[in-house]
Amino acid sequence: MKSSVEKVFLDYMHDNGLSMTPQRKLIVETFLETEGHFSAETLWSIVRERVSDVGQATVYRTLKILVDSGLADCFDLGDGVSLYEHAYGHEHHDHLVCMQCGAKVEIFDQTIENRQEEVAGRFGFELTRHRMYLFGLCPKCQKEKA
Amino acid sequence: MKSSVEKVFLDYMHDNGLSMTPQRKLIVETFLETEGHFSAETLWSIVRERVSDVGQATVYRTLKILVDSGLADCFDLGDGVSLYEHAYGHEHHDHLVCMQCGAKVEIFDQTIENRQEEVAGRFGFELTRHRMYLFGLCPKCQKEKA
DNA sequence: CATTTAATTGCAATTGGTTTTCAGTATCGC
DNA sequence: GCGATACTGAAAACCAATTGCAATTAAATG
């Protein structure tokens, strides 16, 4: 039986007149098997461990499809590198990032979400989405520093 | 009497062995006279209206000094272009951005700030800074759409 | 105020992530 | 199968931002 994620992807492909190719299949599978937050470059290197002649551009192009189809979420921490993570079946969340080691924790706080709506409403804005990144030092790096 | 902002800048320059030059003076003055959120490119174009032969690199280099000295704040909305705004004498705030017209509203909510600390603390993180952007439609753009 | 040293400048070249172009190849609906 | 489209990898193009460089200028010192 086809997994629910694959169905969503194939439906998106079909609905938009896109074709399935061995490269895309490989990239999507690799994406789904890779946990955490990673760059296109990183995903490319993992893909190439399996099949050596997949082009970098194809990885970028496929990641765009993954984002558009709702399977991936793309964000960047302000350093010019886009990071990707699984979006299908994952609730919305923000990130807590260690500035020392780069560790990332997914966070969610309903109070913050509510206040965001409320603040936006105060200015008559209709809120669509938001991004929030908290930067600091993780427990481990605090110890190492002391 | 020298304004307080200028003093902070000159002190920073001196403390770091930096020299004052006509170009830097012009760029800093232009920066201080320009309100809102703007890119280095935009600042450069305003500067060149006054003196035509200021190099683009000098604007970037001076903006870096402004950020380091605490006079400017640099952030980006995720589209790869850094935006700058006045930081001296301005309290910390986040941004509410209209995705249609690009209008930006500066926002602040103490409840959100408190919860951020609290969420970070829950994971043992020591919070240093954060960025939060709320994206949506401003009142004007909502009307135009309807 | 001259001198010397270190900093600064504009320009052009470079970087680095990402996107696009292009000619050849593969996919999909019929 | 066949034809219209879509896809591919490689390389070139992009674009904001940075850097190397040789000439110029600021500024501390004597």
Side-chain angles (χ1 to χ4, degrees):
Chain A
M1 189 185 104
K2 196 149 292 185
S3 80
S4 172
V5 210
E6 282 174 57
K7 187 173 178 342
V8 169
F9 184 69
L10 291 174
D11 283 355
Y12 179 84
M13 296 283 279
H14 186 265
D15 294 350
N16 292 80
L18 303 171
S19 313
M20 180 53 83
T21 67
Q23 290 92 333
R24 284 190 179 159
K25 193 165 186 301
L26 171 66
I27 294 166
V28 171
E29 282 173 1
T30 305
F31 168 80
L32 292 174
E33 291 166 15
T34 305
E35 294 297 328
H37 318 86
F38 45 86
S39 66
E41 195 74 18
T42 299
L43 183 61
W44 186 35
S45 73
I46 300 173
V47 164
R48 276 188 301 176
E49 286 171 11
R50 306 186 182 184
V51 175
S52 62
D53 61 349
V54 174
Q56 184 184 31
T58 303
V59 172
Y60 276 100
R61 288 188 279 233
T62 306
L63 276 169
K64 177 162 283 175
I65 297 174
L66 283 166
V67 170
D68 292 343
S69 66
L71 291 205
D73 184 39
C74 175
F75 63 100
D76 85 280
L77 264 21
D79 59 353
V81 185
S82 292
L83 298 181
Y84 298 84
E85 65 181 2
H86 296 177
Y88 183 78
H90 287 232
E91 294 294 320
H92 156 72
H93 58 262
D94 293 293
H95 294 97
L96 177 55
V97 184
C98 178
M99 298 192 299
Q100 190 80 47
C101 67
K104 293 170 195 65
V105 178
E106 305 189 350
I107 55 175
F108 179 81
D109 186 275
Q110 190 59 56
T111 304
I112 291 179
E113 304 280 323
N114 294 344
R115 295 295 293 187
Q116 288 173 335
E117 282 291 347
E118 129 106 41
V119 173
R122 201 182 301 159
F123 293 96
F125 273 62
E126 206 171 82
L127 217 51
T128 307
R129 64 191 183 84
H130 72 262
R131 302 244 89 132
M132 180 175 83
Y133 311 111
L134 308 185
F135 299 95
L137 277 183
C138 70
K140 188 153 60 76
C141 289
Q142 284 173 46
K143 275 194 202 109
E144 283 173 13
K145 195 180 163 195
Chain B
M1 188 186 104
K2 195 147 291 181
S3 81
S4 172
V5 208
E6 283 173 56
K7 187 172 177 340
V8 170
F9 185 70
L10 292 174
D11 283 354
Y12 179 85
M13 296 283 277
H14 186 266
D15 294 349
N16 292 81
L18 303 171
S19 314
M20 180 51 86
T21 66
Q23 291 92 333
R24 284 190 180 160
K25 194 165 186 301
L26 171 65
I27 294 166
V28 171
E29 282 172 3
T30 306
F31 169 79
L32 292 174
E33 290 165 16
T34 305
E35 294 296 329
H37 318 84
F38 45 85
S39 66
E41 194 72 20
T42 299
L43 183 61
W44 185 36
S45 73
I46 300 172
V47 164
R48 276 188 301 177
E49 287 172 10
R50 307 185 182 184
V51 175
S52 60
D53 61 348
V54 174
Q56 183 186 30
T58 303
V59 173
Y60 276 100
R61 288 188 277 232
T62 305
L63 275 169
K64 177 163 283 177
I65 296 174
L66 283 166
V67 171
D68 292 344
S69 67
L71 291 204
D73 184 39
C74 176
F75 63 100
D76 85 280
L77 264 24
D79 59 354
V81 185
S82 291
L83 297 181
Y84 298 84
E85 65 181 1
H86 296 177
Y88 183 78
H90 289 234
E91 294 293 322
H92 156 72
H93 58 263
D94 294 292
H95 294 94
L96 178 55
V97 184
C98 177
M99 297 191 300
Q100 189 83 47
C101 68
K104 291 169 196 64
V105 179
E106 304 188 348
I107 55 174
F108 179 82
D109 187 274
Q110 191 58 57
T111 304
I112 291 178
E113 305 280 323
N114 294 344
R115 293 296 291 188
Q116 288 173 335
E117 282 292 346
E118 129 103 38
V119 172
R122 201 181 302 160
F123 293 95
F125 272 62
E126 206 172 82
L127 218 51
T128 307
R129 64 191 183 83
H130 72 261
R131 302 244 90 130
M132 180 175 82
Y133 311 112
L134 308 185
F135 300 95
L137 279 182
C138 72
K140 189 153 61 73
C141 289
Q142 283 173 46
K143 275 193 201 107
E144 284 173 12
K145 195 180 161 195

